[in-house]
Amino acid sequence: MAENAPEGSAAASGPNADTNDSRGPADAFLGGSLRHAAGPYYGAYGGRWMPESLIAALDELEETFEKAKQDPEFLAEIAELNRNYSGRPSLLTEAKRFSAHAGGVRVFLKREDLNHTGSHKINNVLGQALLAKRMGKTRIIAETGAGQHGVASATAAAFLGLECVVYMGAEDCRRQALNVARMQLLGATVVPVTNGSQTLKDAINDALRDWVANVETTHYLLGTAAGAHPFPSLVRFFHEVIGEEARAQILEQTAKLPDAVCACIGGGSNAIGIFHGFLDDPSVRLYGFEAGGDGVETGRHAATITLGRPGVLHGARSYLMQDEDGQTIESHSISAGLDYPGVGPEHSYLHDIGRVAYEPITDAEAMEAFSLLCRTEGIIPAIESSHALAGAIKVGQRLAAEGGDPSDRIVIVNLSGRGDKDVQTAADWFGMLDENGQVKGTTLSTRQPKGASPHTAGAVGTGEENA
Amino acid sequence: MSASQQTGPVTGERAAVSKVAAAIDRAKAEGRAALVGYLPAGYPSVQESIDAAIELARNGADVIEIGIPYSDPVMDGSVIQAATTEALARGFRVASVFDVVKAVTDATAALGTAVLVMTYWNPVMRMGVDEFARRLAEAGGAGLITPDLIPDEAAEWFDASEKYGLDRVFLVAPSTTPERMAMTVAATRGFTYAVSLMGVTGAREAVDQSAQRVVAGAREAGAERVCVGLGVSNAEHVREIAAYADGVIVGTAIVSALRDGGPAAVGRLAAELSSGLGRATGPA
Ligand SMILES: Cc1ncc(COP(=O)(O)O)c(C=O)c1O
């Protein structure tokens, strides 16, 4: 599948050459396909900035992956699970009432929120868990921010009979308590991480420390298209299905390609998955929306590409939020899943060559779009995905301003997840909670609670008791 | 990965320019292994980290590793993380490491102590590899230990270390294949850092059995000087490793001593650890 990858030649020129990738987008198109870039380098980005202790495991993973993706049996297994377990293909839904707020262009939602476990994360997790089994590993570890990747990992582990440990920043545990309980119900152990900023980056640090110590038995199931080679291309591979489906569906529903595709960017996995389907369609504009937090001018944001500069973190060279000393800067976002100071290396490359435009969306803009989708379409989106929705509103308005009939214009939004996990955060944001954190108007009952007494053992067991 | 085809310099451990090799060879000439001690710069303060490193050298350390506190130290366990986090919280700046290196090098000139800097790669990249190397050499530093930089990605560092005559200490691990071992040893100058176990820094009860295997693998690959680190906590561990390696690296135990008893406690621990260095007969 990788025969067209132009990065093969870029790799030979080495990772350290800041300047040696001078290709503009036009050159990139002339040079062939941007799809299926195999890594380890994407222009000057990517690589393996990792302790030697882990290189053998990365080599083993790469080798297993390269074989698996040529193996019809493996591909059939993935396709079967996607169909009968995750519920793929996910729908492409036209958001007609929402469209009115986006300059009147036609907005379509790629419904990754309808996948089993409620987000795109399941695509990658099933693929990697199958690879883990191929490598004979019995234990998977994962980091999680919003908890969606943790829940997906716990799900795949339960389904495939693997032990699962999830590292989650203590701050994220607080923000996404419901997902902590979901992971535990699925039999996973959740380890709250109290180092550093207590969010996603620190969860990755602790997962890496676990991996170094347990690499014989353990696969690190990284949840986004970042990290050391082969993770960026491997994670993308399992998410390419999003873009492939979306392209076929939009052609079927409208008989033409979209004008623009919008996705939110945490580490970049849902975005690279949907972009991949359109990378070689020059007429399709691609937009990645980063978390602008309180606003990029406040310094409290997670707009890595917008304001970061190249550096190395968690195994790859890529854009990075860092200070003058090269210390990682803490990111800020209302969305736990976007609250990460790094970004996948392929995005850094796509930014530099101008193929994808990356823009920040503030917390307030995202929450407005969140509310809008709830009320116009009857869909509660994840706050992560709400960044893409807010971006699509802007893109739609810009397209409309270019003239012509806006209803001839088409924008696809990757609705990467559903918002069930975010109800508490949203209720808080919209002032729906009383001073005790209870939803206003829900504490009026004068009866004794009728609920059953708790059966804690069932809820917190490892799920392996009967194994 | 294709990057491993990237070639490093063909030189091996060139003793002529390596301060670290000279320090290890001096120990060897005395019939013992070398003691390599780690301390983070700026912990608990810049001055105390200097004082502690000097104590370390005066009490038997042949090579000093000065660590740069970093926000994301994935190869470090809780003790070193806590120390470096504290240093950062107190406002440690990367450029101060050159002050620490210079002060320690100057104060230990008579002893011939070699001072290496151990750092995660991003702070070096941020300053600029050439600029960092230039300032390190200017401060009298011997070179760098790079826990998250493998030779495959080190093109810029090869250039800079050649230009300024600095040592390049790369790590090898129990998981390192013979092929990578050969590549890494060839890229190394000063000594090859044999990671004793699969894990992060931190005190351990016993030295992992795999340590001796890693050293043997490195020697087979042509390494002239191999030092063992990770989990080495007491004189008994030192004695065990000194029997087969050229040097013994102690980190967490020294940081704990500094935390609990200040620079004087570091001196006492170094003296005790040194007692394990002799090959033939350890002192009682
Ligand atoms: C629903 C949803 N969308 C997006 C993301 C961001 O991750 P990525 O950029 O890898 O798609 C997350 C991460 O947790 C998520 O849960």
Side-chain angles (χ1 to χ4, degrees), chain B residues 36-68:
Chain B
V36 182
Y38 165 91
L39 281 170
Y43 175 77
S45 65
V46 169
Q47 189 53 50
E48 282 162 291
S49 65
I50 292 169
D51 296 343
I54 293 170
E55 280 297 304
L56 196 53
R58 292 199 173 137
N59 288 280
D62 304 282
V63 179
I64 309 275
E65 284 179 30
I66 301 292
I68 297 184

Side-chain angles (χ1 to χ4, degrees), chain A residues 242-252 257 277-278 281 412:
Chain A
I242 306 173
E244 279 161 18
E245 286 176 7
R247 193 172 187 281
Q249 287 165 323
I250 200 73
L251 287 173
E252 191 187 306
L257 286 170
F278 303 94
D281 298 313
I412 297 180

Side-chain angles (χ1 to χ4, degrees), chain A residues 62-423:
Chain A
E62 180 178 8
E63 200 178 303
T64 308
F65 170 56
E66 290 301 327
K67 279 202 192 113
K69 72 181 193 193
Q70 312 292 345
D71 179 354
E73 214 173 286
F74 180 80
L75 298 177
E77 203 174 357
I78 294 283
E80 197 273 331
L81 287 179
N82 279 348
R83 194 168 50 246
N84 296 325
Y85 190 71
S86 305
R88 303 204 72 91
S90 67
L91 301 177
L92 186 73
T93 304
E94 183 162 8
K96 291 188 175 141
R97 275 167 38 78
F98 182 86
S99 294
H101 300 264
V105 304
R106 296 177 73 185
V107 176
F108 289 77
L109 308 174
K110 182 58 178 161
R111 302 291 306 280
E112 294 298 299
D113 62 313
L114 296 178
N115 296 340
H116 179 43
T117 73
S119 80
H120 69 293
K121 299 283 180 186
I122 193 77
N123 305 329
N124 165 50
V125 156
L126 287 173
Q128 281 199 51
L130 288 178
L131 290 177
K133 291 208 93 164
R134 288 197 156 209
M135 292 185 287
K137 313 256 168 164
T138 55
R139 177 174 179 264
I140 58 172
I141 55 174
E143 82 295 339
T144 197
Q148 290 304 92
H149 175 58
V151 166
S153 297
T155 299
F159 179 67
L160 294 170
L162 297 162
E163 184 189 344
C164 179
V165 175
V166 180
Y167 290 89
M168 185 167 185
E171 169 64 10
D172 291 339
C173 290
R174 185 186 65 73
R175 287 194 277 192
Q176 307 283 342
L178 192 64
N179 269 345
V180 174
R182 287 170 81 195
M183 288 182 266
Q184 289 171 341
L185 288 169
L186 291 161
T189 304
V190 180
V191 182
V193 174
T194 52
N195 298 326
S197 60
Q198 314 196 8
T199 61
L200 186 53
K201 104 180 158 66
D202 307 283
I204 295 177
N205 290 344
D206 266 11
L208 285 169
R209 293 182 185 112
D210 179 318
W211 200 28
V212 175
N214 300 295
V215 67
E216 286 271 323
T217 59
T218 300
H219 173 62
Y220 180 12
L221 210 164
L222 185 67
T224 190
H229 180 71
F231 280 110
S233 63
L234 182 157
V235 172
R236 186 200 62 224
F237 178 82
F238 294 119
H239 284 305
E240 285 170 9
V241 65
I242 306 173
E244 279 161 18
E245 286 176 7
R247 193 172 187 281
Q249 287 165 323
I250 200 73
L251 287 173
E252 191 187 306
Q253 292 184 30
T254 70
K256 57 182 181 179
L257 286 170
D259 294 275
V261 174
C262 301
C264 66
I265 308 275
S269 69
N270 86 87
I272 203 71
I274 195 160
F275 291 168
H276 195 262
F278 303 94
L279 276 177
D280 288 348
D281 298 313
S283 68
V284 180
R285 300 181 216 177
L286 304 176
Y287 294 91
F289 293 101
E290 303 192 298
D294 292 347
V296 291
E297 68 290 347
T298 66
R300 293 174 50 81
H301 60 82
T304 309
I305 292 182
T306 308
L307 285 180
R309 52 180 293 159
V312 292
L313 177 69
H314 296 146
R317 184 167 192 279
S318 199
Y319 280 87
L320 175 63
M321 289 172 57
Q322 54 178 320
D323 69 13
E324 281 175 28
D325 275 4
Q327 310 286 357
T328 309
I329 293 175
E330 232 181 86
S331 54
H332 293 275
S333 170
I334 190 171
S335 148
L338 305 186
D339 200 350
Y340 180 57
V343 66
E346 193 169 5
H347 287 291
S348 293
Y349 175 66
L350 293 171
H351 165 76
D352 279 10
I353 65 167
R355 178 65 187 96
V356 180
Y358 296 85
E359 299 175 17
I361 293 291
T362 63
D363 288 353
E365 289 169 325
M367 293 313 291
E368 201 181 313
F370 173 100
S371 173
L372 189 64
L373 196 76
C374 291
R375 287 160 182 255
T376 56
E377 300 294 336
I379 296 170
I380 301 179
I383 296 177
E384 290 78 16
S385 321
S386 301
H387 288 69
L389 291 164
I393 293 172
K394 294 186 183 184
V395 168
Q397 288 169 350
R398 279 183 230 156
L399 285 171
E402 285 174 10
D405 183 353
S407 66
D408 285 341
R409 303 292 203 133
I410 295 169
V411 175
I412 297 180
V413 181
N414 198 11
L415 200 71
S416 56
R418 65 181 183 226
D420 306 38
K421 69 185 174 62
D422 295 317
V423 167

